[in-house]
Amino acid sequence: MDIKINRMILQNFKGIRYLECEIGGENLKIYGDNATGKTTVFDAFTWLLFGKDSLGRSDFGIKTQDEYGNVMHNLEHSVECELAIDNSILTLKKVFAEKW
């Protein structure tokens, strides 16, 4: 079985307001300084598939915070991923929304 990530979209996930990665079956390298979002992208993928962060914790915070560290309410937090599995396309999306 051949599985490739074609595209990944993060919206209001932890510190990332919006990120869209068009991978298209190629290798994607994410690099940068500390605290720039590399682990957040991996956390988003593992949250989508398993409901946990990259360290296996299910009780981690995904909500977006403002510049003072306060949680921003009334936002929809989502991760969407398009996978190519053999000759089929599968799109997965997970959304967290607060009810007020």
Side-chain angles (χ1 to χ4, degrees):
M1 179 180 291
D2 187 35
I3 301 175
K4 294 180 181 177
I5 301 172
N6 286 340
R7 183 173 62 127
M8 191 169 173
I9 301 171
L10 283 64
Q11 188 167 3
N12 297 318
F13 189 86
K14 294 175 75 173
I16 297 177
R17 290 298 199 117
Y18 184 83
L19 174 68
E20 184 169 351
C21 298
E22 292 282 341
I23 302 163
E26 299 296 321
N27 290 331
L28 175 68
K29 295 178 183 178
I30 299 176
Y31 55 92
D33 292 333
N34 290 342
T36 57
K38 300 178 302 291
T39 302
T40 298
V41 172
F42 188 48
D43 283 346
F45 187 69
T46 57
W47 178 73
L48 173 68
L49 295 179
F50 309 112
K52 298 180 179 185
D53 70 0
S54 56
L55 297 175
R57 301 175 299 194
S58 57
D59 62 343
F60 73 108
I62 66 167
K63 295 180 183 179
T64 302
Q65 298 178 353
D66 64 14
E67 61 271 12
Y68 304 107
N70 301 314
V71 172
M72 298 175 69
H73 297 287
N74 298 319
L75 295 176
E76 189 174 85
H77 312 276
S78 66
V79 176
E80 182 176 343
C81 190
E82 180 183 286
L83 303 171
I85 303 172
D86 292 329
N87 293 322
S88 300
I89 299 294
L90 173 66
T91 301
L92 302 173
K93 183 174 184 178
K94 189 170 190 173
V95 177
F96 177 84
E98 296 175 310
K99 289 187 178 183
W100 289 89

